[in-house]
Amino acid sequence: MWTCPKCGREFKKTNQGHYCGKAPETVSEYIESQSSEARSHLTKLAAIIRDSVPGVNERISWSMPTYEKAGKSVSFSACKNHVSLYVGSEAIEKFASELGEFATKKSAVYLPYNKSLPSGLIEDMVKWCFL
């Protein structure tokens, strides 16, 4: 067992990554709690998702912004050098040819802070996820 020296939570894995402190209750609260570098990308990403899918429900799940509609979902999280956009492995496969300049893993696309967000591509992926 490992205990986080900051928050006191116990984990099986040593130095397990986690969120210390009170989890945000809204997407706005989540975005405001991030670094200024991350906030710009997160704000734009949230707007793209909301604008791309009319009637999408916004909530916090697993301490990250999640957008759901008709049993389907996408989510994102702020990381040290990028935003992770979780669209699922099928979407990663579908858009692989357009994601060449971005790192991807399993179900996530890594959108670095030092690059502009590919708004059109994000919109296309999000719409496809909610088909």
Side-chain angles (χ1 to χ4, degrees), residues 52-53 69-74 87 90-91 94-95 123-131:
S52 299
V53 184
K69 183 177 181 181
K72 299 176 182 178
S73 68
V74 297
V87 291
E90 292 176 357
K94 166 80 174 157
F95 292 93
E123 182 178 340
D124 291 346
M125 285 192 302
V126 167
K127 284 180 178 178
W128 186 85
C129 288
F130 286 99
L131 288 177

Side-chain angles (χ1 to χ4, degrees), residues 41-62:
H41 270 44
L42 297 171
T43 300
K44 289 175 188 171
L45 190 53
I48 292 168
I49 295 169
R50 284 192 304 264
D51 294 346
S52 299
V53 184
V56 70
N57 296 314
E58 181 180 85
R59 70 183 186 99
I60 297 292
S61 179
W62 294 91

Side-chain angles (χ1 to χ4, degrees), residues 6-7 10 14 19 40 44 52 72-73 76 78 80 109 121 128:
K6 289 183 182 179
C7 68
E10 291 185 351
T14 302
Y19 181 80
S40 172
K44 289 175 188 171
S52 299
K72 299 176 182 178
S73 68
F76 60 80
K80 184 176 181 179
V109 178
L121 176 57
W128 186 85

